[in-house]
Amino acid sequence: MQDPSAFTLSGRDLIGIEGLSAGEITGLLDLAEEFVELNRQIEKKRTTLRGRTQINLFFEASTRTQSSFEIAGKRLGADVMNMSVASSSVKKGETLIDTAITLNAMHPDILVVRHHASGAVALLARKVDCCVVNAGDGAHEHPTQALLDALTIRRNKGRIQGLTVAICGDVLHSRVARSNIALLNTMGAKVRVVAPSTLLPSGVESLGVEVFRTMEAGLEGADIVMMLRLQRERMAGSFIPSVKEYFHYFGLDEAKLRYAAPDALVMHPGPMNRGVEIDSAIADGAQSLIREQVEMGVAVRMAVLDSLARKLPNA
Amino acid sequence: MRNGRSHSNDSRPLLLANARVIDPSRGADFHGDVFLADGVVKDAGFGIAAAGIPDGAEVVDCAGAVVAPGLVDMRAFVGEPGAEHRETLASASHAAAAGGVTTIICQPDTDPAVDDPAIVDFILRRARDTAVVRVHPMAAITKGLEGHEMTEIGLLQAAGAVAFTDGHKSIMNAQVLRRALTYARDFDALLVHHTEDASMSQGAMNEGAFASRLGLSGNPKAAETIILERDVRLVGAARSRYHAAALTCAESLEVLERAKAAGLPVTASVSINHLSFNELDIGAYRTYFRLAPPLRGEEDRQALIRALASGLLDVVVSDHLPQDVEGKRLPFSEAEPGAIGLETLLSAALRLVHSDQVDLVNLLAALSTRPAQILGLDAGTLRPGAAGDVIVFDPGMPYVLDPRSLKSRCRNTPFDEARLDGRVLRTVVAGRTVYEYV
């Protein structure tokens, strides 16, 4: 195995999983393993990013992703600044590109960006001189989520290749689903999506998934059950009749989980709608990896920041 | 008309000699000469030059280049009044002249909208004073383009509106459109309708696998076909003249074919963008390819080309829609739709000739003769006595489009840096040269 501490990504930025090779994904996961160990020690600090400035630019509210990136940057020794839309000039009408140019003038080394429009992070990345990490753009990609999910799977199953992963719920609005589909396909897993037809993107099969419209069929023999948050804030336009009916047919409860493999594990990117897409008993149960996912999130983001920073000038 | 180059020879007769003369109105394509004087075509035929050069005429040796009627662009947005920073009648007309367009039909979705005879009058007077090509406004079908109340169709027509349209909006209320069609029939007025169901076209691009991959919300083709189907039913009852403003998909062509086969007075346009590109050209969120209606798949593009070749689609339009940098330098889903096209219309359309998909006479008919006939304009023909609006172009001259060289006030061209073959050498309006390629 290649030395993880010498690993770098081929690009300057991490905009999406699409375009990453299996080798790059494995390299990031191996590096993240080291940070998992580090994060469990009392002394969690590294100095790899000392002197570097990391700006977390969030145009969309986020608690766990933003704090995860903040902790990751700080543990690597970077100066981290959080900028959220509520208190920024974007609310005063400044465009995305002007914001990018303004921040760029302050010489950050790493920009972590979340935006509500697909493609916005890539657009911003073209206008700045530093590394850009996509922390979620519209319904397009959320690469660090897919990486942390992969790390969680690999640590619990020992592999990703050959596993059957069922991604269930609001695939239509989900960037998590798109990034996971790309990553799992690259790593050789069998990917299924399970959702009512109104919550499936048109032509979803072409992304490399098998499509199921019932949990019973979709979970049959699955090794991993990945639940998605029902994005009720994007639900204008009658996608499902009611939360009650949705939970009845697509909410993960014990009865539905029994269709999956006996040692199946349950994941959720959070934040959860308990009683909507997942029953509390499952979320907190023995098969749930949901808390571990959060832990892996910090380690994976440290790996991403570290490997990108290695390519910065003067590194 | 104001143009530095042409002031000196305002009244001089013009003999375009040694040309490949194409007159789509007569299906003619021959080697000969075209003679213009007193603002009109005097003659187009063999051996005019050989018979002796008329007194005082300017003689241009076309050296085998094509001479054809000037193009009539049925769908172009000009920002006057209200959006002069995007385009003025003057800047649009210079772009048009450079592209071989001698007649612009401008859209009513200005600010204020063209829903009052005084605004038609304003545009006509501004065009007379500032534009170098002919400009005819279309007026709104409904007041304020709101889709509720019919405009004064009779008075607007009398003021000079050549057709009626709600621009890039569909009239969603079927009863309103039915009444407008029925009323318009009494004036033999043409209604040009954008066919996109508003409730199903909230997305940023064509619905399908590529949109799903990009994480963009999509507009299904059904948004177009449903409105077109509905409209055809309404035309069947009202029997008034109807023109679909810009069709984009194979399914719509089936609807159009049935309507024509049933003898309904239905015609349709296709935009040069939909003949030139498909949804994959959006690539990595390139906002210059965000259009309304959106670009579709390659099979739809091919179907549109075949329908143009067969004459099912009557007209090719530029769908010129200038957007400034602020409107385009945004995330794809937030960017303004539209592309400029007046200046590249002919060059881009000639690609279809070079690829042997459409023959040149037929293409020029769709760009000049047919729109002129549909709108009842004196244009699109070289018959003696017709308006002296002609162009000279070299159908094979290659160039790479430099957006900085464009005359439009905006730069949102999807042909940015594209290799094009075919260039306008001279544009003549009312017998006067208003553009010359040097």
Side-chain angles (χ1 to χ4, degrees), chain A residues 134-206:
Chain A
N134 183 0
D137 65 322
H140 179 224
E141 283 243 37
H142 190 354
T144 55
Q145 179 70 43
L147 288 163
L148 75 88
D149 288 340
L151 183 62
T152 310
I153 293 170
R154 201 176 74 165
R155 285 172 65 90
N156 285 277
K157 290 287 185 187
R159 65 193 168 104
I160 296 171
Q161 183 160 27
L163 293 178
T164 299
V165 182
I167 301 175
C168 311
D170 185 1
V171 180
L172 180 68
H173 298 104
S174 178
R175 53 192 171 221
V176 175
R178 281 175 185 72
S179 286
N180 264 311
I181 290 167
L183 186 146
L184 293 165
N185 273 310
T186 304
M187 301 307 287
K190 290 194 278 288
V191 190
R192 300 174 179 175
V193 293
V194 191
S197 294
T198 46
L199 292 180
L200 286 170
S202 161
V204 66
E205 300 84 358
S206 72

Side-chain angles (χ1 to χ4, degrees), chain B residues 189-231:
Chain B
L190 175 73
L191 263 55
V192 179
H193 200 220
H194 182 89
T195 48
E196 237 189 341
D197 182 291
S199 67
M200 280 199 283
S201 29
Q202 306 292 318
M205 62 174 292
N206 182 37
E207 184 177 278
F210 192 56
S212 296
R213 194 172 285 269
L214 293 175
L216 292 172
S217 54
N219 300 341
K221 296 176 196 172
E224 177 173 306
T225 50
I226 284 171
I227 295 297
L228 184 64
E229 287 267 18
R230 179 200 75 173
D231 291 359

Side-chain angles (χ1 to χ4, degrees), chain A residues 18 96-97 115-120 123 139-140 178 201-202 206, chain B residues 207-209 212-216 284-285 329-334:
Chain A
E18 207 168 271
L96 174 69
I97 297 208
H115 197 278
H116 46 80
S118 301
L123 176 67
H140 179 224
R178 281 175 185 72
S202 161
S206 72
Chain B
E207 184 177 278
S212 296
R213 194 172 285 269
L214 293 175
L216 292 172
Y285 305 97
R329 232 170 46 146
L330 289 170
F332 194 85
S333 57
E334 294 167 8

Side-chain angles (χ1 to χ4, degrees), chain B residues 255-312:
Chain B
V255 180
L256 178 65
E257 193 162 23
R258 267 187 278 124
K260 286 191 167 185
L264 297 179
V266 172
T267 50
S269 288
V270 59
S271 97
I272 188 64
N273 300 314
H274 292 87
L275 293 169
S276 304
F277 305 109
N278 66 36
E279 58 179 350
L280 298 179
D281 285 296
I282 291 167
Y285 305 97
R286 299 199 296 170
T287 56
Y288 284 5
F289 294 87
R290 176 158 191 199
L291 305 174
L295 293 170
R296 306 287 185 189
E298 177 61 11
E299 63 286 0
D300 289 304
R301 186 179 82 92
Q302 292 297 336
L304 293 171
I305 293 171
R306 286 193 299 274
L308 173 64
S310 74
L312 176 61

Side-chain angles (χ1 to χ4, degrees), chain A residues 199-272:
Chain A
L199 292 180
L200 286 170
S202 161
V204 66
E205 300 84 358
S206 72
L207 300 178
V209 298
E210 208 181 335
V211 180
F212 294 88
R213 266 86 182 183
T214 67
M215 292 290 273
E216 288 72 13
L219 262 50
E220 180 69 46
D223 301 299
I224 301 286
V225 181
M226 208 178 258
M227 300 307 297
L228 298 172
R229 187 170 68 86
L230 187 68
Q231 301 201 27
R232 285 186 282 183
E233 70 276 16
R234 298 186 215 261
M235 282 293 158
S238 198
F239 290 93
I240 52 163
S242 73
V243 164
K244 184 176 147 205
E245 176 156 326
Y246 183 75
F247 183 74
H248 181 78
Y249 289 106
F250 293 94
L252 187 66
D253 54 17
E254 274 181 54
K256 295 193 193 88
L257 186 55
R258 273 200 290 274
Y259 291 99
D263 61 346
L265 295 170
V266 176
M267 303 174 73
H268 192 296
M272 280 184 282

Side-chain angles (χ1 to χ4, degrees), chain B residues 365-378:
Chain B
L367 286 165
S368 63
T369 310
R370 284 195 222 117
Q373 286 168 348
I374 289 168
L375 294 163
L377 298 177
D378 174 18

Side-chain angles (χ1 to χ4, degrees), chain B residues 77-92 107-113 122-123 126 320-324 336 408-410:
Chain B
F77 174 84
V78 178
E80 217 165 290
E84 289 83 357
H85 63 291
R86 283 161 60 198
E87 200 80 283
T88 61
L89 288 160
S91 63
Q107 296 277 301
D109 42 352
T110 45
D111 183 19
F122 166 81
I123 291 172
R126 283 289 291 169
H320 183 80
L321 186 52
Q323 299 290 1
D324 56 15
E336 296 288 343
S408 172
R409 287 213 161 169
C410 293

